[in-house]
Amino acid sequence: MVCGVETDIIVSCFGDVVRILVSQVSGRLGTWMRATPEEAMTGSTTTVTFDVDVLLGEREENDAAFVLARMVMEFIHKKSMSSSAADAAEMTMTGGEGGHGTTRSLLMAFAVKQRHPSVETVKELANAIKEVTIPLL
């Protein structure tokens, strides 16, 4: 339940893609979005931005879906990088090669009952997705 509405959240990981289906509308997947992290080097600093694209569905007036996809992609990226750092440290301690981070992308389907979900709804959806996603990353 998210904001009092029955919400289905399905998460699956395949290779470097995390697929998330979020639906409050029975049998519908709504708008499909892709989010990818992009790293840019400026001097000795690495900056990460997140590119979010609509693949299928409503492109205009769907700010909530863009915000949700970006929030979830940032969470996935941080989890992936922290687990990569832990894996690299473990491999270094055991004499293996380490230091190669994994960069995952997000494929998300988003269908909610409200035409324009509130900020609170988007935050609750993001938190619900994070709870379901944590064990898989």
Side-chain angles (χ1 to χ4, degrees):
M1 286 277 219
V2 174
C3 292
V5 179
E6 187 69 34
T7 305
D8 296 319
I9 300 173
I10 300 170
V11 179
S12 65
C13 299
F14 186 75
D16 63 348
V17 178
V18 177
R19 291 178 295 178
I20 300 176
L21 309 175
V22 179
S23 182
Q24 293 180 333
V25 185
S26 181
R28 298 196 184 229
L29 297 176
T31 301
W32 283 84
M33 307 188 81
R34 177 184 57 209
T36 54
E38 296 182 5
E39 294 182 355
M41 290 289 292
T42 33
S44 62
T45 306
T46 302
T47 305
V48 179
T49 59
F50 303 98
D51 185 34
V52 179
D53 297 311
V54 173
L55 300 177
L56 181 68
E58 190 175 312
R59 286 175 168 46
E60 297 177 18
E61 297 184 29
N62 207 354
D63 296 335
F66 278 94
V67 171
L68 182 62
R70 197 221 176 271
M71 289 171 71
V72 172
M73 183 66 247
E74 182 176 7
F75 171 76
I76 290 169
H77 181 73
K78 286 180 180 177
K79 290 296 287 180
S80 294
M81 297 316 288
S82 65
S83 66
S84 293
D87 291 346
E90 183 179 321
M91 291 181 81
T92 301
M93 288 172 41
T94 59
E97 290 185 28
H100 303 289
T102 59
T103 303
R104 290 185 161 168
S105 62
L106 169 67
L107 179 62
M108 185 178 82
F110 177 78
V112 293
K113 287 200 178 212
Q114 298 174 340
R115 176 98 170 122
H116 300 287
S118 67
V119 171
E120 187 61 35
T121 299
V122 172
K123 286 181 181 178
E124 284 197 35
L125 283 167
N127 288 334
I129 291 168
K130 289 174 186 178
E131 286 178 24
V132 173
T133 307
I134 287 173
L136 299 174
L137 297 179

